[in-house]
Amino acid sequence: MADAIKVLLVDDHQVVRRGLRTFLEVQDDIEVVGEAADGAEGVERAEELRPDVVLMDVKMPGMDGVEALRKLRELANPARVLIVTSFTEQRTVVPALRAGAAGYVYKDVDPDALAGAIRSVHAGHILLQPEVAGALLSQEETGTGQGRGGSLTEREREVLGLIADGRSNREIARALVLSEKTVKTHVSNILMKLDLSDRTQAALWAVRHGVTG
Protein backbone atom coordinates (compact mmCIF):
# COMPACT_ATOMS: atom_id res chain seq x y z
CA MET A 1 0.00 0.00 0.00
CA ALA A 2 2.78 2.39 -0.96
CA ASP A 3 0.29 4.88 -2.38
CA ALA A 4 -2.33 4.44 0.34
CA ILE A 5 -3.62 7.46 2.24
CA LYS A 6 -1.98 7.34 5.68
CA VAL A 7 -4.51 8.07 8.44
CA LEU A 8 -4.02 8.82 12.14
CA LEU A 9 -6.99 8.31 14.51
CA VAL A 10 -7.28 10.73 17.45
CA ASP A 11 -10.17 10.02 19.83
CA ASP A 12 -10.34 9.47 23.57
CA HIS A 13 -12.75 6.53 23.22
CA GLN A 14 -11.01 3.26 22.40
CA VAL A 15 -14.26 1.75 21.07
CA VAL A 16 -14.58 4.59 18.55
CA ARG A 17 -10.96 4.19 17.45
CA ARG A 18 -11.39 0.44 17.10
CA GLY A 19 -14.55 0.89 15.03
CA LEU A 20 -12.90 3.41 12.74
CA ARG A 21 -9.82 1.23 12.31
CA THR A 22 -11.90 -1.88 11.58
CA PHE A 23 -13.72 -0.15 8.76
CA LEU A 24 -10.82 1.81 7.31
CA GLU A 25 -8.49 -1.19 7.20
CA VAL A 26 -10.69 -2.87 4.59
CA GLN A 27 -10.24 0.09 2.23
CA ASP A 28 -7.64 -0.66 -0.41
CA ASP A 29 -6.36 2.92 -0.59
CA ILE A 30 -6.40 3.85 3.12
CA GLU A 31 -3.91 2.75 5.78
CA VAL A 32 -4.33 3.47 9.51
CA VAL A 33 -0.80 4.24 10.67
CA GLY A 34 -1.51 5.02 14.32
CA GLU A 35 -3.87 6.07 17.09
CA ALA A 36 -3.90 8.64 19.89
CA ALA A 37 -6.17 9.08 22.91
CA ASP A 38 -6.01 12.87 23.27
CA GLY A 39 -4.89 16.01 21.49
CA ALA A 40 -1.40 16.15 22.96
CA GLU A 41 -0.67 12.56 21.98
CA GLY A 42 -2.26 13.24 18.60
CA VAL A 43 0.15 16.11 17.90
CA GLU A 44 3.10 13.97 19.00
CA ARG A 45 2.03 11.05 16.82
CA ALA A 46 1.31 13.32 13.84
CA GLU A 47 4.84 14.69 14.05
CA GLU A 48 6.27 11.18 14.39
CA LEU A 49 4.20 9.39 11.74
CA ARG A 50 3.54 12.26 9.27
CA PRO A 51 0.09 10.99 8.22
CA ASP A 52 -1.73 12.40 5.20
CA VAL A 53 -5.03 12.77 7.08
CA VAL A 54 -5.84 13.00 10.80
CA LEU A 55 -9.31 12.01 12.00
CA MET A 56 -9.66 14.19 15.10
CA ASP A 57 -12.34 14.27 17.78
CA VAL A 58 -13.15 17.73 19.15
CA LYS A 59 -14.05 17.02 22.76
CA MET A 60 -11.19 15.22 24.52
CA PRO A 61 -9.68 15.50 28.02
CA GLY A 62 -6.54 17.57 28.36
CA MET A 63 -5.67 19.08 24.98
CA ASP A 64 -8.87 19.08 22.91
CA GLY A 65 -9.13 18.86 19.14
CA VAL A 66 -9.16 22.62 18.53
CA GLU A 67 -6.01 23.19 20.58
CA ALA A 68 -4.34 20.24 18.83
CA LEU A 69 -5.23 21.76 15.45
CA ARG A 70 -3.63 25.05 16.44
CA LYS A 71 -0.50 23.24 17.61
CA LEU A 72 -0.24 21.33 14.33
CA ARG A 73 -0.52 24.61 12.45
CA GLU A 74 2.24 26.14 14.59
CA LEU A 75 4.42 23.15 13.74
CA ALA A 76 3.56 23.52 10.04
CA ASN A 77 2.51 19.87 9.99
CA PRO A 78 1.18 19.12 6.49
CA ALA A 79 -1.50 16.64 7.57
CA ARG A 80 -5.06 17.47 6.54
CA VAL A 81 -7.34 17.29 9.58
CA LEU A 82 -10.88 15.94 9.31
CA ILE A 83 -12.92 16.56 12.44
CA VAL A 84 -15.06 13.61 13.57
CA THR A 85 -17.56 14.70 16.18
CA SER A 86 -20.85 13.66 17.78
CA PHE A 87 -21.65 17.29 18.58
CA THR A 88 -23.95 18.99 16.08
CA GLU A 89 -23.68 22.45 17.60
CA GLN A 90 -21.88 24.99 15.47
CA ARG A 91 -20.04 26.18 18.55
CA THR A 92 -17.95 22.99 18.49
CA VAL A 93 -17.45 22.71 14.74
CA VAL A 94 -16.82 26.35 13.84
CA PRO A 95 -13.78 26.86 16.14
CA ALA A 96 -12.22 23.69 14.71
CA LEU A 97 -12.63 24.94 11.16
CA ARG A 98 -11.24 28.33 12.12
CA ALA A 99 -8.25 26.55 13.66
CA GLY A 100 -7.43 24.89 10.35
CA ALA A 101 -9.56 21.76 9.92
CA ALA A 102 -10.22 20.81 6.30
CA GLY A 103 -13.74 19.68 7.12
CA TYR A 104 -15.85 17.65 9.49
CA VAL A 105 -18.09 14.59 9.66
CA TYR A 106 -20.29 13.21 12.42
CA LYS A 107 -19.55 9.94 14.20
CA ASP A 108 -22.73 8.38 12.82
CA VAL A 109 -21.61 9.09 9.25
CA ASP A 110 -22.14 6.34 6.71
CA PRO A 111 -18.88 4.35 6.47
CA ASP A 112 -18.61 4.83 2.71
CA ALA A 113 -19.18 8.57 3.18
CA LEU A 114 -16.37 8.67 5.76
CA ALA A 115 -13.96 6.99 3.34
CA GLY A 116 -15.07 9.45 0.68
CA ALA A 117 -14.46 12.37 3.04
CA ILE A 118 -10.93 11.13 3.78
CA ARG A 119 -10.18 10.86 0.07
CA SER A 120 -11.69 14.28 -0.55
CA VAL A 121 -9.66 16.20 2.04
CA HIS A 122 -6.54 14.29 1.03
CA ALA A 123 -7.11 15.52 -2.53
CA GLY A 124 -7.17 19.10 -1.24
CA HIS A 125 -10.91 19.68 -0.98
CA ILE A 126 -12.61 21.58 1.83
CA LEU A 127 -15.71 19.92 3.32
CA LEU A 128 -17.87 22.83 4.38
CA GLN A 129 -21.63 22.59 4.87
CA PRO A 130 -23.64 25.73 3.92
CA GLU A 131 -24.94 26.38 7.43
CA VAL A 132 -21.46 26.14 8.94
CA ALA A 133 -20.02 28.32 6.19
CA GLY A 134 -22.63 30.92 7.10
CA ALA A 135 -21.67 30.74 10.76
CA LEU A 136 -18.01 31.14 9.88
CA LEU A 137 -18.76 34.13 7.71
CA SER A 138 -20.81 35.79 10.44
CA GLN A 139 -17.95 35.38 12.92
CA GLU A 140 -15.18 36.55 10.59
CA GLU A 141 -13.85 39.98 11.35
CA THR A 142 -14.87 42.31 8.58
CA GLY A 143 -11.39 43.78 8.50
CA THR A 144 -9.63 40.53 7.57
CA GLY A 145 -8.35 40.97 4.04
CA GLN A 146 -10.75 43.85 3.53
CA GLY A 147 -9.90 46.03 0.56
CA ARG A 148 -6.98 43.86 -0.49
CA GLY A 149 -8.77 42.05 -3.30
CA GLY A 150 -7.55 44.70 -5.72
CA SER A 151 -3.98 43.51 -5.21
CA LEU A 152 -4.83 40.12 -6.72
CA THR A 153 -3.98 39.50 -10.34
CA GLU A 154 -6.66 38.27 -12.72
CA ARG A 155 -5.18 34.78 -12.61
CA GLU A 156 -5.10 34.79 -8.80
CA ARG A 157 -8.78 35.74 -8.73
CA GLU A 158 -9.50 32.81 -11.04
CA VAL A 159 -7.62 30.48 -8.72
CA LEU A 160 -9.38 31.95 -5.67
CA GLY A 161 -12.77 31.40 -7.27
CA LEU A 162 -11.96 27.75 -7.89
CA ILE A 163 -10.75 27.38 -4.28
CA ALA A 164 -14.15 28.70 -3.20
CA ASP A 165 -15.75 26.00 -5.38
CA GLY A 166 -13.85 23.39 -3.34
CA ARG A 167 -11.42 22.46 -6.12
CA SER A 168 -8.09 20.85 -5.29
CA ASN A 169 -4.80 22.16 -6.71
CA ARG A 170 -4.81 19.34 -9.27
CA GLU A 171 -8.32 20.23 -10.43
CA ILE A 172 -7.47 23.93 -10.59
CA ALA A 173 -4.37 23.13 -12.64
CA ARG A 174 -6.47 21.08 -15.04
CA ALA A 175 -9.17 23.73 -15.33
CA LEU A 176 -6.73 26.59 -16.00
CA VAL A 177 -4.19 24.53 -17.97
CA LEU A 178 -1.41 25.20 -15.47
CA SER A 179 1.09 23.03 -13.62
CA GLU A 180 0.30 22.11 -10.02
CA LYS A 181 3.48 23.89 -8.97
CA THR A 182 2.22 27.11 -10.56
CA VAL A 183 -1.15 26.72 -8.83
CA LYS A 184 0.58 26.24 -5.46
CA THR A 185 2.50 29.47 -6.07
CA HIS A 186 -0.74 31.32 -6.87
CA VAL A 187 -2.38 29.95 -3.71
CA SER A 188 0.58 31.07 -1.58
CA ASN A 189 0.43 34.54 -3.12
CA ILE A 190 -3.31 34.78 -2.50
CA LEU A 191 -2.93 33.87 1.18
CA MET A 192 -0.07 36.33 1.59
CA LYS A 193 -1.84 39.23 -0.16
CA LEU A 194 -5.10 38.72 1.73
CA ASP A 195 -3.34 38.02 5.04
CA LEU A 196 -5.12 34.67 5.39
CA SER A 197 -3.87 31.46 6.99
CA ASP A 198 -5.33 28.66 4.89
CA ARG A 199 -7.61 27.60 2.04
CA THR A 200 -10.70 27.58 4.25
CA GLN A 201 -10.26 31.26 5.07
CA ALA A 202 -9.55 31.96 1.40
CA ALA A 203 -12.76 30.21 0.37
CA LEU A 204 -14.75 32.22 2.93
CA TRP A 205 -13.14 35.48 1.74
CA ALA A 206 -14.09 34.61 -1.83
CA VAL A 207 -17.71 33.89 -0.86
CA ARG A 208 -17.97 37.14 1.11
CA HIS A 209 -16.58 39.18 -1.75
CA GLY A 210 -18.39 37.45 -4.57
CA VAL A 211 -15.36 35.81 -6.18
CA THR A 212 -16.53 32.63 -7.92
CA GLY A 213 -14.96 30.13 -10.26
Side-chain angles (χ1 to χ4, degrees), residues 23-191:
F23 168 70
L24 293 176
E25 285 184 339
V26 303
Q27 303 298 310
D28 292 336
D29 60 339
I30 296 175
E31 177 187 5
V32 178
V33 295
E35 300 180 16
D38 57 43
E41 185 184 4
V43 171
E44 182 179 339
R45 296 288 279 165
E47 284 291 280
E48 173 192 351
L49 299 170
R50 308 304 278 186
D52 300 307
V53 176
V54 177
L55 295 188
M56 179 96 72
D57 191 12
V58 177
K59 294 294 185 180
M60 294 181 288
M63 181 184 291
D64 64 13
V66 175
E67 188 176 350
L69 273 159
R70 294 185 180 126
K71 185 64 177 177
L72 287 173
R73 176 182 283 179
E74 290 174 7
L75 294 169
N77 189 290
R80 303 275 286 171
V81 178
L82 181 62
I83 290 296
V84 184
T85 179
S86 59
F87 296 84
T88 58
E89 300 94 334
Q90 290 178 349
R91 62 186 176 85
T92 62
V93 175
V94 170
L97 291 168
R98 288 173 63 88
Y104 72 96
V105 293
Y106 295 121
K107 287 182 179 177
D108 60 356
V109 66
D110 178 86
D112 290 333
L114 175 60
I118 290 171
R119 297 182 184 110
S120 184
V121 298
H122 178 250
H125 295 287
I126 299 168
L127 300 183
L128 204 60
Q129 299 299 322
E131 66 274 12
V132 175
L136 280 164
L137 283 169
S138 68
Q139 290 187 15
E140 287 288 312
E141 295 180 0
T142 57
T144 304
Q146 188 72 20
R148 296 177 181 171
S151 66
L152 298 178
T153 66
E154 182 177 351
R155 179 64 84 187
E156 287 166 352
R157 291 183 71 85
E158 289 179 319
V159 171
L160 179 58
L162 291 171
I163 290 174
D165 287 343
R167 305 284 191 92
S168 66
N169 284 352
R170 179 174 298 178
E171 290 171 331
I172 294 172
R174 189 180 301 121
L176 299 180
V177 194
L178 300 170
S179 69
E180 284 191 60
K181 183 177 180 180
T182 298
V183 172
K184 289 179 181 178
T185 298
H186 285 314
V187 173
S188 295
N189 289 339
I190 289 166
L191 297 179

